[in-house]
Amino acid sequence: QKEVEQDPGPLSVPEGAIVSLNCTYSNSAFQYFMWYRQYSRKGPELLMYTYSSGNKEDGRFTAQVDKSSKYISLFIRDSQPSDSATYLCAIKGTSGSRLTFGEGTQLTVNP
Amino acid sequence: SQTIHQWPATLVQPVGSPLSLECTVEGTSNPNLYWYRQAAGRGLQLLFYSVGIGQISSEVPQNLSASRPQDRQFILSSKKLLLSDSGFYLCAWTQASYEQYFGPGTRLTVT
């Protein structure tokens, strides 16, 4: 079993839709949770990060963590064509400096 | 502010040729540095990480090597490239915080 599972998609939605991207993880020692956005042929860009259960909001983006279920989500409201990218979740434990990444979900927002 | 550079941006090399990819970070000191490889449509595979000058940890046995000759410089090398070495190579850095930031990447094609 992989430490982090992420549905690779592809996911295609119309402009303006609410997008839900999800990851599950197996190690309860994971404490820090990040979402990256990667445009085609570019390096991943850190989008959001959190270390606690609950929601964290930044503009149209909301990161949600449920440690009891080992489940994290990224919601995108009012999705735009410019949101079309691959979204990777990344999780880290309390010690060491290694991140464990999901495989990434490819999202396309159609105008 | 911190910036991370990688070069070259793209590279086409024949099988059996040597490789040298360079990564430099500006605006920070004593960063942890990482090399990842991303195959097409796949997640990120950690290859090497370094917590200081001359300190290299290898994650995956392969014909690649890494060196850190200066605090903010990280080099990925190979003496003889294989077809399977093709991919998108990403350098990343972290410091005291847990967020990890990526460079723009080098796309390597081995022919």
Side-chain angles (χ1 to χ4, degrees), chain A residues 79-95:
Chain A
S79 56
Q80 303 294 311
S82 58
D83 295 327
S84 298
T86 296
Y87 290 81
L88 300 116
C89 63
I91 307 178
K92 179 181 169 182
T94 54
S95 61

Side-chain angles (χ1 to χ4, degrees), chain A residues 32-34 36 38 40-46 49-51 86 88 92 97-99 101-104, chain B residues 32 34 36 38 41-44 46 49 51 59 88 90 94 97-105 107:
Chain A
Y32 302 103
F33 309 92
M34 278 151 271
Y36 288 83
Q38 186 176 21
S40 180
R41 307 180 79 83
K42 303 291 185 183
E45 167 195 3
L46 182 61
Y49 61 91
T50 183
Y51 57 87
T86 296
L88 300 116
K92 179 181 169 182
S97 55
R98 295 168 52 187
L99 277 178
F101 286 87
E103 292 287 308
Chain B
N32 292 339
Y34 307 82
Y36 290 87
Q38 186 176 37
R42 302 286 298 275
L44 295 167
L46 180 63
Y49 69 93
V51 298
E59 290 294 304
F88 192 42
L90 290 155
T94 63
S97 61
Y98 50 84
E99 303 103 271
Q100 192 164 113
Y101 298 94
F102 287 85
R107 188 160 302 279

Side-chain angles (χ1 to χ4, degrees), chain A residues 9-15 17 19 79 84 105-111:
Chain A
L11 181 63
S12 182
V13 301
E15 183 175 354
V19 177
S79 56
S84 298
T105 299
Q106 184 180 348
L107 170 68
T108 300
V109 181
N110 301 299

Side-chain angles (χ1 to χ4, degrees), chain B residues 16-97:
Chain B
S17 63
L19 174 73
S20 181
L21 303 181
E22 189 165 342
C23 168
T24 59
V25 181
E26 295 179 356
T28 186
S29 59
N30 302 315
N32 292 339
L33 297 173
Y34 307 82
W35 278 113
Y36 290 87
R37 177 169 58 203
Q38 186 176 37
R42 302 286 298 275
L44 295 167
Q45 179 188 33
L46 180 63
L47 302 175
F48 301 94
Y49 69 93
S50 172
V51 298
I53 295 173
Q55 300 178 62
I56 308 295
S57 296
S58 174
E59 290 294 304
V60 181
Q62 59 217 322
N63 69 321
L64 299 172
S65 63
S67 62
R68 185 169 176 176
Q70 300 181 43
D71 180 45
R72 290 170 290 177
Q73 185 184 30
F74 205 21
I75 296 172
L76 183 69
S77 303
S78 174
K79 292 182 179 178
K80 289 185 178 182
L81 283 169
L82 306 173
L83 285 174
S84 58
D85 291 325
S86 293
F88 192 42
Y89 288 83
L90 290 155
C91 182
W93 72 274
T94 63
Q95 207 161 22
S97 61

